[in-house]
Amino acid sequence: MERGSGIDPIHRFVNAIACLLRGLPIQILALGAACLMSRGSRAEPPILEAKRVVFLGDSITYAGEYIEFVETWIRIHRPASTVELWNMGLPSETVSGLSEPGHAGGAFPRPDLHERLGRVLEKTKPDLVVACYGMNDGIYYPYATERMEKFQDGIRRLRERARTAGAAVLHLTPPVFDPVPLAGHTLPAGRDEYRSPYTGYNEVLDRFSEWLVVQQNQGWNVIDTHRPMNQFLADRRRSDPKFLLAGDGVHANSQGHWLIAREILRKVGADDAILSADSPTALLASHPRGNDILGLVQQKQRLLRDSWLSETRHTRPGMTPGRPLVEAQHTVDAIDAEIRRVRTSRFPGQRSAWNGFDRYDFQVDGHNALVVVPHKELPGRPWIWHGEFFGHKPLPDIAMLGRGFHIVYLSVPDQLGAPTAVNAWNGLYRELTERYGFGPRPALVGLSRGGLYCYNWATANPSKVSCIYGDAPVCDFKSWPGGKGKGPGSPRDWQLVLERYGFKSEADALAYPANPVDSLLPLATAKVPLLHVFGDADEVVPWEENTGLLAERYTKLGGFIALIRKPGVKHHPHGLDDSTPIIDFLWRHGRGDSTPATPSDLGPMDADGRPLLRKLGTVDLDLVEATPVVFLDRLWRFEWVRDGYWNNPRRTNFFRFVDPNTGETTPPFAEGHEFGSAFVHDGTMYVTGTAQRDRIQMFASRDLKSWDSWQVLGPGTYGIFNTSMCRAEKDFVLMFEIDRPAEEAGAAFTARFLRSKDLKTWSLTGPECNYSKDRYTAPHALRWHGGWFFDFYLEAHRGYEMRVVRSRDLIQWEPSPLNPVLRASPDDKAIRNASFTEAQRKRIREAVNWNNSDIDFCEWQGRLSVTYSWGNQLGVEHLAEAIYDGSLAQFLQGWFPSKP
């Protein structure tokens, strides 16, 4: 639309969103459970929720190996995370402010954290402070109440200053003190002064640790590293009296640092293989180039540590000055880029394009394999593995690629799931998990005969499977290709079964006890969820002999299987008209243990960590205000056809609906109306539009041919432009854009609101319900979810950008920290409509583009179909499409990370 001026800076983008299931008019039977439940989902701990984490502590933190181990784990197992870990540890420092006589040979007293804390917080602006104090705070004397109180007071002061600066605090209990390596150099109790450490000083640290742990009852976030280190040291000493975690009794060695890191990793969701290891070996082995990644992390951490200590002007003598922070940051950026390059080693073989994604074809053990790579992968590299017929009915794969999954296929044709095929699958599994860091539990997709491949490999490897989706799957080769039941079978393929499985006779094949329907106990024991889609008139793979028998037996074993029945459908066509249930199943279950549900990975994100909108390109010229809607199980695009539209012989404004897949258009209606939008409720399509720029009319239809109409808002008060409607918890809300009267519009353009219980009678809200009178904020799309209204509006920044705010009451509004939602880019000019003439393509190439406006969207096929306009914001705009490969709930919540 033709709107204003001005340019502002932009914000950074981070994302966190949740899943939403939607229902469909297809019979869905859930057997063995009431609903699909994700396994292992949990909230992220504070470190992974934060953008910037500052570690404070003494020389043990300054050494920083435990921080380096933690960051290495993040870069390997949470590569989408944008959290920054900054080591600000300072040797000799205390939080208590105490110092023993003769410290550092009398050269200087111990530094007091509180002397530099204000500068650190002001300069670094952390979201989270991780504090590890205590080792120096008892000044190596026996326990004394006054020293304990100084420690407690110092900790509380740290918490208060961090809170005032907007940072949370995570406490680590102090590491162990070990008198064994200091034999002959420690002092017993009863001295007035301790120029050497007290022999029983670890008991003092026990008390410091116990006090911190108890504070969890007050809501403090505490990770106890002291007790596990104590226990580990005691256990090792039983078999090796000379075993050490600190060569000088104080400063932890690499194994000691690993024990500290391990307790942190326990809280952030590391897997058992890493948490059960006594050294970082398993962590480094979890990626083919784990040692290289650790080395790069160490370079980065040590460079930044010294630069930040100098930048924040610590006062401890004897420290090596760090490089200027700006200079250091350039080097760090290069190191981060190298970490990403090493982490995401590309695949071998031939590269090609598949539905807009990179595909790699290569060989493993002589078999052809392919991997399709997402634009932005999920942490843990989850993947979907096809048994057969890769590329048939690709919509679920495309949606899952958009959500960050890899798609995999191994060609072992005519093996029908025989042991040779299982062995070939084992080889590819090893290659992808060990060399390329793929998640340990792929989701399997078995279409038709592909069911034999998936189920036979799964029953041989039940702990390596996250879930199985079967589409009219073969579950018993006696049924197909054997043809020993209702179906005709396939003589050629039955002969292949006899050969590939090594049967000496047909009788041996018929007596075979390990078909999928016979081998379900391992999967039920491993709690692998199943989904089968089938036609109940399947004449090739009769469902009763395959899906039906498998479902009955799996349920009796305590397993979960969901069935989606397609009444009257034969073996073909496969899939669903709306793939949403398939996509939801794979999304909820297919991530496995490698990618638990966390704020950082619940929705597809772009490279900057914001909700990933994939621009597809231009679909028409001279169109704005389009609304994608699903009506009568079909995706439509509502269009306001302007009088100046290139293909408008009527030469007046009107509304229509277009099928974006076929180009079919409905009869025109609402002649003379403008600024329309569409909304579906209870089987009826509702359309709002303005007339003469001062009134709002409602149109309603159940067939998109015959329309009823009534007035929503009469003339005389407002200058009206855009309209948009949503369903709230108890009523309907209609947002409309105004530029007058001045006392309500303020600086044009401004959102105002109407409410209705029945879509017939509407009441105007008070003038305080608006967004926003202080500047240009042209509204376009209104949504409601989870108690919040979301207003997607246009504002002038770098050109004109779509932004989003939210409100619970239509009065107080909160902007997304991730704005803008859309901004002009070269992708807008991609050609989405193959029927464009050369003249039209030339118009697109040469068009001025400095705005993205008029966003609207709906959920369809498990993702959002998005329309928006681009152009010069002076009347020449063109219509483009985009995709968000997640649910509506994910998209809306994703613009407001880490908030309810």
Side-chain angles (χ1 to χ4, degrees), residues 6 21 30 61 90 130 207 308 323 386 482 573 590 661 687 766 787 814 865:
L21 280 173
T61 295
L90 186 64
V130 179
R207 293 201 181 194
W308 269 115
R323 288 163 57 182
H386 282 264
N661 295 311
V687 172
E814 171 190 2
S865 177

PDB file of all heavy atoms in Angstrom, residues 6 21 30 61 90 130 207 308 323 386 482 573 590 661 687 766 787 814 865:
ATOM      1  N   GLY A   6      11.063   7.276   6.260  1.00  0.00           N
ATOM      2  CA  GLY A   6      11.924   7.095   7.422  1.00  0.00           C
ATOM      3  C   GLY A   6      12.634   5.766   7.432  1.00  0.00           C
ATOM      4  O   GLY A   6      12.152   4.779   6.938  1.00  0.00           O
ATOM      5  N   LEU A  21      -1.026 -29.145  16.706  1.00  0.00           N
ATOM      6  CA  LEU A  21      -1.695 -30.159  15.879  1.00  0.00           C
ATOM      7  C   LEU A  21      -3.024 -29.599  15.385  1.00  0.00           C
ATOM      8  O   LEU A  21      -3.700 -28.902  16.125  1.00  0.00           O
ATOM      9  CB  LEU A  21      -1.970 -31.413  16.694  1.00  0.00           C
ATOM     10  CG  LEU A  21      -0.795 -32.366  16.888  1.00  0.00           C
ATOM     11  CD1 LEU A  21      -1.215 -33.460  17.855  1.00  0.00           C
ATOM     12  CD2 LEU A  21      -0.355 -32.964  15.581  1.00  0.00           C
ATOM     13  N   ALA A  30      -6.589 -43.880  17.000  1.00  0.00           N
ATOM     14  CA  ALA A  30      -5.394 -44.006  17.820  1.00  0.00           C
ATOM     15  C   ALA A  30      -5.506 -45.258  18.653  1.00  0.00           C
ATOM     16  O   ALA A  30      -6.440 -45.390  19.434  1.00  0.00           O
ATOM     17  CB  ALA A  30      -5.234 -42.790  18.727  1.00  0.00           C
ATOM     18  N   THR A  61      38.281 -20.937  36.859  1.00  0.00           N
ATOM     19  CA  THR A  61      37.464 -20.444  35.747  1.00  0.00           C
ATOM     20  C   THR A  61      38.339 -19.774  34.696  1.00  0.00           C
ATOM     21  O   THR A  61      38.125 -19.954  33.494  1.00  0.00           O
ATOM     22  CB  THR A  61      36.390 -19.474  36.263  1.00  0.00           C
ATOM     23  OG1 THR A  61      35.484 -20.190  37.107  1.00  0.00           O
ATOM     24  CG2 THR A  61      35.615 -18.837  35.125  1.00  0.00           C
ATOM     25  N   LEU A  90      39.068 -14.515  36.947  1.00  0.00           N
ATOM     26  CA  LEU A  90      40.273 -13.763  37.308  1.00  0.00           C
ATOM     27  C   LEU A  90      41.024 -14.505  38.408  1.00  0.00           C
ATOM     28  O   LEU A  90      40.466 -14.746  39.487  1.00  0.00           O
ATOM     29  CB  LEU A  90      39.896 -12.365  37.784  1.00  0.00           C
ATOM     30  CG  LEU A  90      41.060 -11.403  38.060  1.00  0.00           C
ATOM     31  CD1 LEU A  90      41.828 -11.104  36.774  1.00  0.00           C
ATOM     32  CD2 LEU A  90      40.545 -10.105  38.685  1.00  0.00           C
ATOM     33  N   VAL A 130      27.285 -17.071  35.153  1.00  0.00           N
ATOM     34  CA  VAL A 130      27.639 -18.333  35.805  1.00  0.00           C
ATOM     35  C   VAL A 130      28.782 -18.034  36.755  1.00  0.00           C
ATOM     36  O   VAL A 130      29.854 -17.603  36.318  1.00  0.00           O
ATOM     37  CB  VAL A 130      28.033 -19.408  34.783  1.00  0.00           C
ATOM     38  CG1 VAL A 130      28.412 -20.704  35.497  1.00  0.00           C
ATOM     39  CG2 VAL A 130      26.902 -19.666  33.801  1.00  0.00           C
ATOM     40  N   ARG A 207      31.079 -27.102  53.233  1.00  0.00           N
ATOM     41  CA  ARG A 207      30.045 -26.247  53.850  1.00  0.00           C
ATOM     42  C   ARG A 207      29.588 -25.148  52.887  1.00  0.00           C
ATOM     43  O   ARG A 207      28.395 -24.841  52.806  1.00  0.00           O
ATOM     44  CB  ARG A 207      30.585 -25.634  55.137  1.00  0.00           C
ATOM     45  CG  ARG A 207      30.854 -26.646  56.247  1.00  0.00           C
ATOM     46  CD  ARG A 207      30.871 -25.942  57.574  1.00  0.00           C
ATOM     47  NE  ARG A 207      31.154 -26.854  58.680  1.00  0.00           N
ATOM     48  CZ  ARG A 207      30.972 -26.547  59.956  1.00  0.00           C
ATOM     49  NH1 ARG A 207      30.522 -25.339  60.288  1.00  0.00           N
ATOM     50  NH2 ARG A 207      31.261 -27.407  60.906  1.00  0.00           N
ATOM     51  N   TRP A 308      38.583  -9.430  27.038  1.00  0.00           N
ATOM     52  CA  TRP A 308      37.515  -8.921  27.893  1.00  0.00           C
ATOM     53  C   TRP A 308      38.055  -8.495  29.265  1.00  0.00           C
ATOM     54  O   TRP A 308      37.597  -7.495  29.836  1.00  0.00           O
ATOM     55  CB  TRP A 308      36.416  -9.968  28.070  1.00  0.00           C
ATOM     56  CG  TRP A 308      35.333  -9.853  27.045  1.00  0.00           C
ATOM     57  CD1 TRP A 308      34.998 -10.750  26.086  1.00  0.00           C
ATOM     58  CD2 TRP A 308      34.440  -8.746  26.875  1.00  0.00           C
ATOM     59  NE1 TRP A 308      33.952 -10.288  25.325  1.00  0.00           N
ATOM     60  CE2 TRP A 308      33.578  -9.068  25.791  1.00  0.00           C
ATOM     61  CE3 TRP A 308      34.268  -7.521  27.523  1.00  0.00           C
ATOM     62  CZ2 TRP A 308      32.579  -8.206  25.351  1.00  0.00           C
ATOM     63  CZ3 TRP A 308      33.276  -6.663  27.089  1.00  0.00           C
ATOM     64  CH2 TRP A 308      32.443  -7.008  26.013  1.00  0.00           C
ATOM     65  N   ARG A 323      44.395  -8.511  23.573  1.00  0.00           N
ATOM     66  CA  ARG A 323      44.300  -7.696  22.371  1.00  0.00           C
ATOM     67  C   ARG A 323      43.073  -6.785  22.453  1.00  0.00           C
ATOM     68  O   ARG A 323      42.104  -7.110  23.146  1.00  0.00           O
ATOM     69  CB  ARG A 323      44.201  -8.584  21.142  1.00  0.00           C
ATOM     70  CG  ARG A 323      45.502  -9.298  20.802  1.00  0.00           C
ATOM     71  CD  ARG A 323      45.290 -10.451  19.859  1.00  0.00           C
ATOM     72  NE  ARG A 323      44.645 -10.064  18.623  1.00  0.00           N
ATOM     73  CZ  ARG A 323      44.321 -10.918  17.651  1.00  0.00           C
ATOM     74  NH1 ARG A 323      44.569 -12.211  17.807  1.00  0.00           N
ATOM     75  NH2 ARG A 323      43.737 -10.498  16.544  1.00  0.00           N
ATOM     76  N   HIS A 386      14.008 -43.171   3.927  1.00  0.00           N
ATOM     77  CA  HIS A 386      12.980 -43.818   3.105  1.00  0.00           C
ATOM     78  C   HIS A 386      13.375 -45.242   2.759  1.00  0.00           C
ATOM     79  O   HIS A 386      14.511 -45.512   2.361  1.00  0.00           O
ATOM     80  CB  HIS A 386      12.761 -43.036   1.806  1.00  0.00           C
ATOM     81  CG  HIS A 386      11.923 -41.818   1.995  1.00  0.00           C
ATOM     82  ND1 HIS A 386      10.567 -41.796   1.757  1.00  0.00           N
ATOM     83  CD2 HIS A 386      12.240 -40.578   2.435  1.00  0.00           C
ATOM     84  CE1 HIS A 386      10.093 -40.586   2.020  1.00  0.00           C
ATOM     85  NE2 HIS A 386      11.093 -39.829   2.442  1.00  0.00           N
ATOM     86  N   GLY A 482       3.512 -62.605  -1.844  1.00  0.00           N
ATOM     87  CA  GLY A 482       3.124 -64.013  -1.871  1.00  0.00           C
ATOM     88  C   GLY A 482       1.721 -64.258  -2.384  1.00  0.00           C
ATOM     89  O   GLY A 482       1.447 -65.300  -2.991  1.00  0.00           O
ATOM     90  N   PRO A 573      -4.304 -43.684  -4.582  1.00  0.00           N
ATOM     91  CA  PRO A 573      -3.060 -42.949  -4.387  1.00  0.00           C
ATOM     92  C   PRO A 573      -2.539 -43.074  -2.957  1.00  0.00           C
ATOM     93  O   PRO A 573      -3.312 -43.284  -2.022  1.00  0.00           O
ATOM     94  CB  PRO A 573      -3.468 -41.500  -4.672  1.00  0.00           C
ATOM     95  CG  PRO A 573      -4.904 -41.449  -4.226  1.00  0.00           C
ATOM     96  CD  PRO A 573      -5.485 -42.792  -4.591  1.00  0.00           C
ATOM     97  N   GLY A 590      10.083 -37.650  15.362  1.00  0.00           N
ATOM     98  CA  GLY A 590      11.240 -37.963  14.533  1.00  0.00           C
ATOM     99  C   GLY A 590      12.543 -37.358  14.975  1.00  0.00           C
ATOM    100  O   GLY A 590      13.591 -37.729  14.450  1.00  0.00           O
ATOM    101  N   ASN A 661      -2.926 -23.362  -7.242  1.00  0.00           N
ATOM    102  CA  ASN A 661      -2.334 -24.499  -7.938  1.00  0.00           C
ATOM    103  C   ASN A 661      -2.845 -24.641  -9.371  1.00  0.00           C
ATOM    104  O   ASN A 661      -2.097 -25.008 -10.272  1.00  0.00           O
ATOM    105  CB  ASN A 661      -2.624 -25.785  -7.159  1.00  0.00           C
ATOM    106  CG  ASN A 661      -1.965 -25.799  -5.804  1.00  0.00           C
ATOM    107  OD1 ASN A 661      -0.780 -25.510  -5.677  1.00  0.00           O
ATOM    108  ND2 ASN A 661      -2.734 -26.112  -4.764  1.00  0.00           N
ATOM    109  N   VAL A 687     -15.673 -12.270   4.275  1.00  0.00           N
ATOM    110  CA  VAL A 687     -14.764 -11.311   3.660  1.00  0.00           C
ATOM    111  C   VAL A 687     -15.157  -9.918   4.121  1.00  0.00           C
ATOM    112  O   VAL A 687     -16.347  -9.544   4.067  1.00  0.00           O
ATOM    113  CB  VAL A 687     -14.819 -11.384   2.122  1.00  0.00           C
ATOM    114  CG1 VAL A 687     -14.010 -10.251   1.499  1.00  0.00           C
ATOM    115  CG2 VAL A 687     -14.304 -12.734   1.640  1.00  0.00           C
ATOM    116  N   GLY A 766     -12.896   1.018  22.862  1.00  0.00           N
ATOM    117  CA  GLY A 766     -12.522   2.366  23.246  1.00  0.00           C
ATOM    118  C   GLY A 766     -11.322   2.876  22.476  1.00  0.00           C
ATOM    119  O   GLY A 766     -10.526   2.082  21.944  1.00  0.00           O
ATOM    120  N   GLY A 787      -3.922 -16.468  24.159  1.00  0.00           N
ATOM    121  CA  GLY A 787      -4.210 -15.303  24.987  1.00  0.00           C
ATOM    122  C   GLY A 787      -3.631 -13.997  24.474  1.00  0.00           C
ATOM    123  O   GLY A 787      -3.794 -12.961  25.119  1.00  0.00           O
ATOM    124  N   GLU A 814       3.515  -5.097  22.864  1.00  0.00           N
ATOM    125  CA  GLU A 814       4.919  -5.498  23.034  1.00  0.00           C
ATOM    126  C   GLU A 814       5.514  -5.827  21.667  1.00  0.00           C
ATOM    127  O   GLU A 814       5.031  -6.715  20.971  1.00  0.00           O
ATOM    128  CB  GLU A 814       4.981  -6.729  23.939  1.00  0.00           C
ATOM    129  CG  GLU A 814       6.351  -7.372  24.022  1.00  0.00           C
ATOM    130  CD  GLU A 814       6.306  -8.719  24.734  1.00  0.00           C
ATOM    131  OE1 GLU A 814       5.200  -9.167  25.121  1.00  0.00           O
ATOM    132  OE2 GLU A 814       7.377  -9.324  24.880  1.00  0.00           O
ATOM    133  N   SER A 865       1.236 -21.159   4.406  1.00  0.00           N
ATOM    134  CA  SER A 865       1.267 -20.556   3.085  1.00  0.00           C
ATOM    135  C   SER A 865       1.166 -19.045   3.277  1.00  0.00           C
ATOM    136  O   SER A 865       0.253 -18.554   3.942  1.00  0.00           O
ATOM    137  CB  SER A 865       0.098 -21.073   2.244  1.00  0.00           C
ATOM    138  OG  SER A 865       0.073 -20.441   0.980  1.00  0.00           O
TER     139      SER A 865
END
